Amino acid sequence: MAESRTQSFYNITPFQQIISSCTGALITSVFVTPLDVVKIRLQAQQKAKLSNKCFLYCNGFVEELCCNFHAGGSSAVSSPYWYRPPGHLTGTLDAFVKITRAEGVTSLWSGLPPTLLMAVPATVVYFTMYDQLRQLVLKKYHFDHQPLWLPAVAGGMARAIAATLISPLELVRTKMQSQKLSYLEIRQALKNLVLTQGLHSMWRGLGPTILRDVPFSSLYWLSYEFLKQKFHQQQPTFWFSFGAGATAGSFAALLTLPFDVVKTHRQIELGEMEALYSKQRTSTYSLLRNLYQSSGYRALFTGVVPRIVKVAPACAIMISSYEYSKRFFHNYNNSRTLYNSL
């Protein structure tokens, strides 16, 4: 039994794990960013409807009509102009068409630079830590087989650490994807946010992010490892990893979507006057309750189609490329060991 337990791991170094995770992260980020933009636009539209406000766009801020922004005691509003969104978005396909027509095809990759900056450190920490924690527990307690609670716990812990590290980049990415903004406007909004609420405000939306990502990761790894055990795939093939990753990701994404909606609502407040000067923060529970009271369960699952359409292939690409790369390095290390022994 000890033999089968050790064979479930690839004989690779932590550095090779890092390279394996980076490959999948870069491919996945480029592929799924347009789907993320559509999902966030749909959720941002929902937030604007709930707030029942008319917005004015000026100097990098989305402000209430007729509001005045003051910095250092003097008015900072100059040359205001209307921000005209692509129009009412009725669904995923409609959002793709209207955003492309109003803002150009490149707007579908809004926030790609911070997404890429997030993908590498987040994925490295997440996947490497997950594998290391799982192996550590199995080796320390000498389990005959992997208990299903172990991937759930290891996945949740790894995601909590990774999400905390990249939360400021997630804030910038979400705001950039919620509407068409320049980097200068984002920078100005961040500057005023930090000046008025402190450095900790850069972690706005971390609570809902943790509530979304930790259960997602626990459910995802639990489902994925269950499928591996069910079909006896200790070292899974590329296509098995692809299918199992898509299935596990879709299941986890659906169950955790309400927290994704709340996280988006929190983070697109960046630059809004109400968010800058509000002394009280609405709790996650209150936001969920308000969403439910406004439109029922449907409001809690806004953007469900683009999220699942995004998450399923993202998880499939990420885990299959990760497993394939690990298998490549495993075979490479074994061939080197055999060559050196001759």
Side-chain angles (χ1 to χ4, degrees):
M1 295 300 291
E3 177 77 13
S4 63
R5 183 178 66 248
T6 55
Q7 287 299 316
S8 65
F9 295 130
Y10 291 101
N11 178 32
I12 63 175
T13 66
F15 179 73
Q16 290 172 335
Q17 284 182 324
I18 290 173
I19 298 299
S20 300
S21 60
C22 283
T23 303
L26 294 173
I27 297 172
T28 304
S29 297
V30 174
F31 179 78
V32 304
T33 293
L35 296 166
D36 216 19
V37 170
V38 168
K39 177 196 64 119
I40 289 173
R41 292 296 183 93
L42 289 168
Q43 293 174 350
Q45 175 180 268
Q46 176 195 56
K47 181 179 185 299
K49 180 180 178 181
L50 287 174
S51 62
N52 195 29
K53 294 174 184 175
C54 181
F55 291 106
L56 184 69
Y57 185 68
C58 53
N59 286 352
F61 296 98
V62 180
E63 306 176 7
E64 292 180 54
L65 183 62
C66 301
C67 69
N68 289 313
F69 175 68
H70 295 280
S74 61
S75 175
V77 175
S78 62
S79 302
Y81 56 91
W82 288 107
Y83 168 68
R84 291 185 173 86
H88 181 71
L89 309 177
T90 59
T92 303
L93 183 59
D94 182 64
F96 270 113
V97 173
K98 287 181 177 176
I99 292 171
T100 302
R101 285 178 179 174
E103 302 172 12
V105 176
T106 56
S107 65
L108 292 174
W109 278 268
S110 298
L112 181 58
T115 297
L116 292 174
L117 286 174
M118 286 167 51
V120 174
T123 306
V124 165
V125 171
Y126 179 41
F127 277 81
T128 305
M129 184 170 291
Y130 167 75
D131 267 344
Q132 292 294 321
L133 287 172
R134 192 166 57 92
Q135 292 182 34
L136 179 65
V137 173
L138 281 174
K139 290 178 180 178
K140 182 175 182 180
Y141 293 99
H142 305 288
F143 290 113
D144 290 335
H145 63 278
Q146 177 176 264
L148 286 178
W149 59 262
L150 180 54
V153 172
M157 291 177 62
R159 174 54 69 183
I161 295 171
T164 303
L165 288 175
I166 56 92
S167 186
L169 285 171
E170 172 78 5
L171 173 68
V172 172
R173 181 182 69 92
T174 302
K175 186 62 181 179
M176 290 186 70
Q177 292 179 340
S178 68
Q179 63 193 78
K180 193 173 180 64
L181 295 175
S182 69
Y183 286 100
L184 182 61
E185 291 163 344
I186 285 288
R187 179 185 175 186
Q188 185 65 29
L190 287 171
K191 179 181 177 181
N192 283 280
L193 182 68
V194 172
L195 286 175
T196 56
Q197 295 192 5
L199 187 61
H200 69 277
S201 61
M202 292 290 293
W203 277 261
R204 177 188 293 272
L206 178 60
T209 300
I210 294 293
L211 288 173
R212 178 198 66 176
D213 285 3
V214 171
F216 175 91
S217 296
S218 295
L219 289 169
Y220 171 76
W221 286 112
L222 174 65
S223 303
Y224 180 71
E225 294 293 342
F226 170 78
L227 291 172
K228 283 173 63 176
Q229 289 186 15
K230 180 77 173 177
F231 293 96
H232 308 289
Q233 294 277 336
Q234 279 72 30
Q235 294 185 357
T237 64
F238 177 87
W239 288 113
F240 175 85
S241 296
F242 194 92
T247 302
S250 299
F251 173 69
L254 179 63
L255 294 184
T256 58
L257 183 60
F259 296 109
D260 181 67
V261 174
V262 172
K263 182 215 67 139
T264 301
H265 281 218
R266 282 250 194 267
Q267 293 182 329
I268 62 177
E269 290 174 353
L270 172 62
E272 294 181 12
M273 295 299 296
E274 183 178 340
L276 283 173
Y277 292 103
S278 175
K279 298 299 182 182
Q280 294 184 340
R281 294 280 303 280
T282 306
S283 68
T284 298
Y285 171 76
S286 296
L287 286 173
L288 288 171
R289 184 184 59 193
N290 292 340
L291 286 166
Y292 174 73
Q293 290 175 347
S294 68
S295 304
Y297 285 109
R298 187 174 182 178
L300 299 176
F301 292 89
T302 302
V304 61
V305 173
R307 176 157 168 80
I308 291 180
V309 170
K310 167 205 167 184
V311 168
C315 289
I317 293 169
M318 185 66 234
I319 195 65
S320 57
S321 60
Y322 181 59
E323 295 278 21
Y324 179 84
S325 298
K326 288 198 300 180
R327 187 165 60 251
F328 169 81
F329 284 119
H330 173 77
N331 294 334
Y332 172 76
N333 292 344
N334 285 347
S335 63
R336 285 194 61 184
T337 302
L338 180 62
Y339 176 80
N340 291 333
S341 65
L342 294 178

